[in-house]
């Protein structure tokens, strides 16, 4: 059994939460180097000031979601959920980030004023010497585009493409494009949603350690081309790219089902990864 310090986890997660809220990731940065459409200078100035002054890139600093890949023989000094929750609470309070979670979602909708609870998914993994923590600060505008379709099990690739592109055509302008699109196909309804969230992490370094998970790279390329052909454009103003990236993950499913989940993230793509050697 191996022991990892919760304080080390806390410090690294706090640091990464500040980074993803104040620094545009490299993939998104490239999009705006040659963009010359409406508000190009303002967008680049916002990116520059946020990084230099450690100010939020957007006033909606999101609800935080974690994906934890934990060696099965790893020991911690206290529950990991407590550490991650404290990291979110302290980071958002100490940096003046907007607190966006409400406790009762239907009736009172009272703000908790600490951005808790975070959403935490944990997975046990074998043959690993690392505790790997992914994090996503998800704004409400893009989150509202999340969708689940229970397709006919006989559906074709063309039918899947039509559902995704129609959904983005109708709703994409509301998510601060250029967007990232994550697609989950298969599993159960909840599994399809989960793997569509994995697909929002666009860098090559993000490799979810989940047995049976498969990438549909050719389908992702087709979808990205078709979504960009919609010409929604940067900030839905018709100029520049509509879509930064599409990733598609698939998982085995029941013979009578074909779940199709769509997750969308705005151009800020506030994602990050922390690795702790165990």
């Amino acid at each position: 059994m191996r022991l990892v310090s919760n304080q080390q986890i806390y410090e690294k997660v706090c640091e990464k939460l500040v980074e993803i809220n104040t620094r545009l990731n490299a993939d998104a940065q490239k999009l705006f180097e040659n963009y010359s459409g409406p508000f190009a200078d303002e967008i680049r100035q916002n990116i520059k000031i946020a990084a230099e002054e450690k100010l939020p890139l957007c006033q909606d600093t999101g609800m935080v979601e974690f994906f934890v890949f934990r060696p099965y023989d790893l020991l911690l000094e206290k529950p990991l959920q407590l550490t991650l929750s404290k990291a979110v609470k302290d980071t958002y309070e100490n940096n003046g980030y907007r607190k966006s979670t409400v406790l009762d979602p239907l009736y009172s909708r009272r703000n908790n004023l600490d951005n808790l609870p975070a959403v935490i998914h944990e997975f046990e993994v074998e043959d690993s010497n690392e505790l790997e923590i992914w994090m996503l600060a998800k704004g409400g505008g893009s989150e509202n585009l999340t969708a689940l379709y229970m397709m006919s099990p006989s559906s074709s690739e063309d039918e899947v493409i039509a559902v995704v592109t129609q959904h983005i055509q109708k709703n994409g302008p509301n998510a601060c494009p250029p967007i990232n699109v994550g697609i989950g196909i298969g599993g159960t309804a909840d599994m399809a949603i989960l793997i569509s969230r994995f697909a929002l992490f666009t860098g090559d370094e993000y490799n979810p350690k989940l047995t049976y998970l498969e990438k549909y790279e050719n389908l992702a390329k087709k979808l990205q081309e078709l979504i960009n052909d919609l010409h929604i454009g940067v900030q839905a103003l018709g100029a520049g790219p509509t879509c930064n990236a599409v990733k598609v993950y698939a998982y085995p499913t029941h013979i009578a089902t074909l779940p199709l989940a769509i997750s969308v993230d705005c151009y800020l793509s506030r994602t990050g990864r922390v690795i702790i050697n165990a």
Side-chain angles (χ1 to χ4, degrees):
M1 305 299 285
R2 292 166 287 174
L3 181 66
V4 168
S5 164
N6 282 72
Q7 182 63 26
Q8 183 184 13
I9 297 170
Y10 168 81
E11 291 173 359
K12 287 198 170 188
V13 169
C14 287
E15 181 180 358
K16 185 60 69 172
L17 284 172
V18 171
E19 180 183 320
I20 66 176
N21 271 299
T22 59
R23 287 185 175 274
L24 198 63
N25 69 50
D27 287 340
Q29 189 89 38
K30 290 176 184 177
L31 284 175
F32 293 102
E33 289 177 357
N34 300 312
Y35 172 64
S36 57
F39 301 108
D41 290 339
E42 288 83 354
I43 292 172
R44 282 192 281 267
Q45 186 178 20
N46 181 64
I47 294 168
K48 181 174 182 291
I49 292 172
E52 291 177 351
E53 304 293 334
K54 288 193 174 181
L55 294 171
L57 285 155
C58 177
Q59 51 85 23
D60 183 352
T61 45
M63 188 170 184
V64 182
E65 190 167 2
F66 291 100
F67 305 85
V68 180
F69 302 94
R70 177 176 176 173
Y72 72 94
D73 58 347
L74 181 70
L75 287 178
L76 298 172
E77 300 159 325
K78 61 181 71 172
L80 182 59
Q81 290 193 355
L82 295 179
T83 301
L84 296 179
S85 295
K86 179 175 170 52
V88 171
K89 181 177 185 293
D90 290 352
T91 299
Y92 277 66
E93 287 184 347
N94 294 340
N95 292 280
Y97 297 164
R98 194 181 84 181
K99 290 80 174 176
S100 300
T101 58
V102 293
L103 291 180
D104 178 348
L106 183 57
Y107 296 107
S108 70
R109 292 189 67 86
R110 180 174 62 83
N111 196 305
N112 206 29
L113 300 180
D114 58 9
N115 224 49
L116 294 179
V119 178
I120 303 170
H121 311 276
E122 288 193 55
F123 309 91
E124 282 191 343
V125 296
E126 293 184 282
D127 303 323
S128 176
N129 294 318
E130 297 174 337
L131 171 64
E132 191 168 339
I133 302 171
W134 300 6
M135 64 200 75
L136 168 66
K138 192 73 158 55
S142 61
E143 180 62 9
N144 284 333
L145 269 68
T146 305
L148 174 69
Y149 297 88
M150 300 305 290
M151 305 283 288
S152 165
S154 61
S155 297
S156 67
E157 180 189 83
D158 286 344
E159 288 172 304
V160 169
I161 287 173
V163 167
V164 174
T165 53
Q166 288 169 15
H167 180 74
I168 299 302
Q169 184 173 33
K170 179 182 178 181
N171 301 289
N174 298 326
C176 289
I179 53 176
N180 289 333
V181 180
I183 305 295
I185 301 176
T188 53
D190 56 327
M191 188 63 168
I193 290 284
L194 176 64
I195 64 177
S196 75
R197 311 296 266 195
F198 285 156
L200 292 177
F201 292 82
T202 58
D204 292 336
E205 70 272 22
Y206 292 102
N207 179 28
K209 298 175 175 63
L210 199 64
T211 306
Y212 298 118
L213 201 62
E214 183 178 350
K215 268 187 184 179
Y216 283 1
E217 294 184 350
N218 288 335
L219 177 56
K221 290 178 182 177
K222 291 179 183 179
L223 284 168
Q224 184 166 358
E225 290 177 4
L226 290 169
I227 291 171
N228 275 319
D229 285 345
L230 297 174
H231 300 296
I232 295 171
V234 173
Q235 298 295 286
L237 295 172
T242 298
C243 181
N244 177 33
V246 177
K247 189 180 284 188
V248 182
Y249 281 126
Y251 196 81
T253 195
H254 189 280
I255 57 173
T257 68
L258 182 58
L260 168 64
I262 305 171
S263 289
V264 176
D265 203 2
C266 70
Y267 80 92
L268 296 178
S269 183
R270 289 168 295 188
T271 58
R273 183 177 70 144
V274 163
I275 293 178
I276 309 288
N277 292 320

